[in-house]
Amino acid sequence: MSSTKFSDLPNNTASKWWKDPGMRISFVHIITLYCAVYSLGYDGSLLNGLQALTEWNKDFNKPTGTKLGLIAASYYLPKIPLTFVIAWMVDRYGRKIGLYFGALFMFAGALLGGFCQNTSQLVGSRVLLGAGTAAAQVTAAALVPELAHPRIRHYAGGFLNTTYYVGSIFAAWLTFAMVYYPGSSSWSWRVPTLVQGFGPLLLGIGAYFIPQSPRWLVKKGRVDEAHEILATYHANGKMDDELVLLEMREIKASVELEKVAESASWLAWFQTRGNLRRFFVIIILGTATQWVGNGVVQYYLVPVLKTVGVTKPAQTTGVNGGLAIWNWFISMFGASLVERFGRRKLFLTSIIGMFCSFVMILGLAGGYNTNHHSSTGLAMIPFIFIFMGFYSLALTPLPMLYVPEICPLALRAKAAALLLLAQNCAQSFNQFANPVALNSISWKYYAVYVGVDIIYIGLFWWLIRETKGLTTEEAAVVYDPDHVQEANMEAEKRMHQEALKVAHNEGEHELDVKKSESHEHEYKV
């Protein structure tokens, strides 16, 4: 791999991306891909808002406990097996098929949900939505860094997950407005459910104009197409641009290295001590994103607020909307601090802050249920904001950045799949357990998460290692240098053999040409 930096090379683009035609179009493509994560956030906030609407509870017989858990979990259960199927599909048939698949299923789910008449149809709509967002999310996560210009790649990838809260804000305040929908009508919940199809519609239409991944094209031998795409969006059509030529060399070398990665099996996680540590770190991060208490607050805010006497629809939807805006700003702030403060410090600050704020939530909830003072119950709301602020600081922007960078090339793709699998399994469990526990033991359930947060503080302290300021290669060896060195040596050996083979073929070709010229000369004589 070349050691030349992108910033060292002349590039046929303007100094600012918004002044450059190629980069402006590329930015539009990236914003379109953000619709995938936006749709995920919209659903997360929508279910909270719907639980506060009188007509929704009336039409679905006020679901609680196991029934509410089934409605929520039906969105996440299909993601568990589909994560691997979609990863295989977009690698074999190209990234764009994942966007079309995701947009179609999400749009169909929104239509079915908006016009559903019973709980079974509602669950079916959420299964479609879950399958669609799984396809769109996996594809967008791969395609954003593959299309972005090197100058904006860090920001394009780092802010991808923060758009979760853009969808969350939209859904939260739309359901808040529906509290004041005139008359008693099911359209109060049908309108925000149908609007859920707006993001998938934009994604589906935009996918037609989004170019195929240059990296995937090179992998399939379509090198000229990849070169043309990079030249169009990274150099305004200049095919011999030095930055574009470097990108092509980097992509070709990376594809060659992947031949080593493809030979690694899932058992590789258990073959070295470093890989075993990585395996546990990925599982810990994946489950932490769902099991630190946010699963209760994000998806069951209405029952949580009910435990401290906040029951009016306008109050609960208002808190939901404010929380979405707060989370968005904090997640963007956290993403901007990654290189300044480091991953380990942000992770530890996040989990310790969540523990302290959840202790206060537990104490205030217990106090309200003892003395029933409304001021005690209302005092819990600021601590919900503080808790979610600490969550969004690190656990929203960091996992998808940290997990791939701590793994050797041979395991990076599997690491991303393992993280999503851990998240979806943990979240599916949450959707069943949380409403049942809240219905059975109410505020006392918060004590469980206080204990869980203590465990995660210990795990983060002992297992998370810093990668601040390290290159991709340096970050990959913080857990097990020997394993990565062996993989790189094998990759370099393969590339060297390929180079010798090419040189040999070219030598034979030149020899044939010389013989042909010699024969021609003899014939003329």
Side-chain angles (χ1 to χ4, degrees):
M1 303 284 280
S2 173
S3 60
T4 306
K5 296 180 180 178
F6 290 117
S7 57
D8 295 337
L9 298 172
N11 180 219
N12 188 38
T13 53
S15 58
K16 304 295 183 182
W17 70 264
W18 57 85
K19 296 180 179 179
D20 187 81
M23 292 178 69
R24 282 200 304 267
I25 297 172
S26 180
F27 186 76
V28 172
H29 294 328
I30 291 168
I31 293 296
T32 302
L33 291 169
Y34 281 1
C35 289
V37 179
Y38 158 89
S39 298
L40 191 67
Y42 188 99
D43 183 86
S45 190
L46 177 66
L47 188 60
N48 256 337
L50 293 179
Q51 291 175 66
L53 297 178
T54 303
E55 287 301 315
W56 187 84
N57 283 289
K58 178 182 175 182
D59 290 346
F60 295 102
N61 299 318
K62 202 172 184 178
T64 57
T66 306
K67 185 177 180 181
L68 181 58
L70 175 63
I71 292 172
S74 59
Y75 183 79
Y76 293 96
L77 288 173
K79 293 175 180 284
I80 297 172
L82 281 177
T83 299
F84 301 99
V85 175
I86 292 162
W88 168 83
M89 181 178 68
V90 298
D91 187 55
R92 184 180 179 90
Y93 299 107
R95 308 292 191 241
K96 294 182 68 167
I97 192 173
L99 300 178
Y100 290 130
F101 180 91
L104 177 63
F105 273 65
M106 284 192 289
F107 189 72
L111 287 179
L112 178 59
F115 294 109
C116 66
Q117 302 295 324
N118 52 56
T119 303
S120 298
Q121 292 176 357
L122 177 62
V123 169
S125 73
R126 292 182 60 74
V127 169
L128 289 174
L129 286 163
T133 51
Q137 185 184 9
V138 169
T139 307
L143 198 50
V144 165
E146 291 174 343
L147 290 180
H149 190 284
R151 293 214 308 265
I152 62 172
R153 186 172 294 152
H154 174 74
Y155 297 104
F159 286 95
L160 173 63
N161 276 352
T162 64
T163 53
Y164 175 96
Y165 291 119
V166 177
S168 181
I169 292 167
F170 190 21
W173 287 105
L174 182 56
T175 52
F176 175 82
M178 289 297 105
V179 171
Y180 301 99
Y181 191 86
S184 298
S185 171
S186 63
W187 285 107
S188 62
W189 63 264
R190 293 187 189 278
V191 168
T193 305
L194 287 170
V195 171
Q196 190 170 13
F198 179 70
L201 185 62
L202 284 180
L203 181 64
I205 295 173
Y208 178 80
F209 300 97
I210 292 175
Q212 187 56 268
S213 161
R215 202 171 186 281
W216 181 83
L217 290 171
V218 170
K219 190 173 182 179
K220 297 300 179 182
R222 296 156 62 179
V223 177
D224 291 341
E225 292 178 57
H227 192 171
E228 186 176 354
I229 288 172
L230 288 176
T232 300
Y233 297 103
H234 295 185
N236 293 295
K238 187 178 180 182
M239 297 291 285
D240 60 348
D241 183 86
E242 290 191 34
L243 185 142
V244 170
L245 294 176
L246 175 63
E247 284 188 284
M248 285 300 298
R249 290 196 297 271
E250 293 282 343
I251 291 173
K252 289 175 182 177
S254 178
V255 168
E256 187 61 39
L257 285 170
E258 278 191 359
K259 294 178 181 178
V260 177
E262 289 171 356
S263 65
S265 72
W266 285 91
L267 293 176
W269 291 112
F270 309 102
Q271 291 173 350
T272 70
R273 183 178 297 179
N275 281 348
L276 191 60
R277 288 186 191 131
R278 292 185 184 94
F279 178 83
F280 284 118
V281 166
I282 294 169
I283 296 298
I284 287 165
L285 288 178
T287 55
T289 59
Q290 309 302 327
W291 282 354
V292 291
N294 62 302
V296 173
V297 175
Q298 282 183 306
Y299 287 88
Y300 300 102
L301 184 63
V302 172
V304 166
L305 293 177
K306 192 178 293 184
T307 63
V308 290
V310 179
T311 57
K312 294 180 180 179
Q315 290 177 321
T316 52
T317 53
V319 171
N320 188 36
L323 200 59
I325 295 174
W326 168 255
N327 290 338
W328 182 46
F329 278 110
I330 297 298
S331 66
M332 291 178 64
F333 178 64
S336 68
L337 295 178
V338 169
E339 284 301 318
R340 181 177 297 179
F341 290 100
R343 283 68 156 161
R344 178 178 163 84
K345 286 182 181 178
L346 282 177
F347 275 131
L348 288 173
T349 301
S350 176
I351 190 64
I352 293 171
M354 284 188 286
F355 165 73
C356 295
S357 52
F358 222 90
V359 168
M360 294 302 299
I361 289 173
L362 173 63
L364 290 169
Y368 172 81
N369 280 272
T370 301
N371 56 39
H372 294 284
H373 292 162
S374 59
S375 58
T376 305
L378 291 173
M380 191 179 86
I381 295 177
F383 284 99
I384 290 177
F385 277 75
I386 294 171
F387 168 81
M388 286 305 303
F390 277 112
Y391 175 90
S392 300
L393 181 70
L395 291 184
T396 294
L398 284 188
M400 284 302 290
L401 170 67
Y402 186 76
V403 166
E405 71 182 6
I406 65 170
C407 292
L409 180 69
L411 291 174
R412 276 179 199 153
K414 292 179 175 63
L418 184 63
L419 177 67
L420 291 175
L421 178 66
Q423 288 177 328
N424 289 326
C425 287
Q427 201 158 33
S428 297
F429 174 81
N430 271 356
Q431 307 313 317
F432 281 115
N434 288 342
V436 173
L438 284 170
N439 194 46
S440 300
I441 59 176
S442 188
W443 65 273
K444 297 183 182 70
Y445 184 48
Y446 305 154
V448 173
Y449 286 105
V450 170
V452 170
D453 286 350
I454 292 174
I455 295 172
Y456 276 117
I457 288 173
L459 292 172
F460 277 35
W461 181 269
W462 291 109
L463 292 176
I464 299 296
R465 297 183 179 179
E466 186 56 74
T467 58
K468 173 189 172 183
L470 302 180
T471 65
T472 303
E473 291 76 16
E474 292 167 341
V477 301
V478 296
Y479 284 92
D480 187 355
D482 293 338
H483 180 75
V484 179
Q485 289 172 1
E486 289 173 6
N488 287 338
M489 287 175 63
E490 187 177 345
E492 289 175 5
K493 181 180 178 182
R494 184 193 292 265
M495 291 175 66
H496 181 64
Q497 290 173 343
E498 290 292 330
L500 289 176
K501 184 178 179 181
V502 170
H504 178 70
N505 290 339
E506 288 178 351
E508 287 187 343
H509 177 69
E510 290 178 3
L511 183 61
D512 289 340
V513 170
K514 288 180 180 179
K515 286 182 178 179
S516 177
E517 290 175 350
S518 175
H519 288 316
E520 185 177 353
H521 176 71
E522 289 176 359
Y523 174 76
K524 288 181 178 179
V525 173

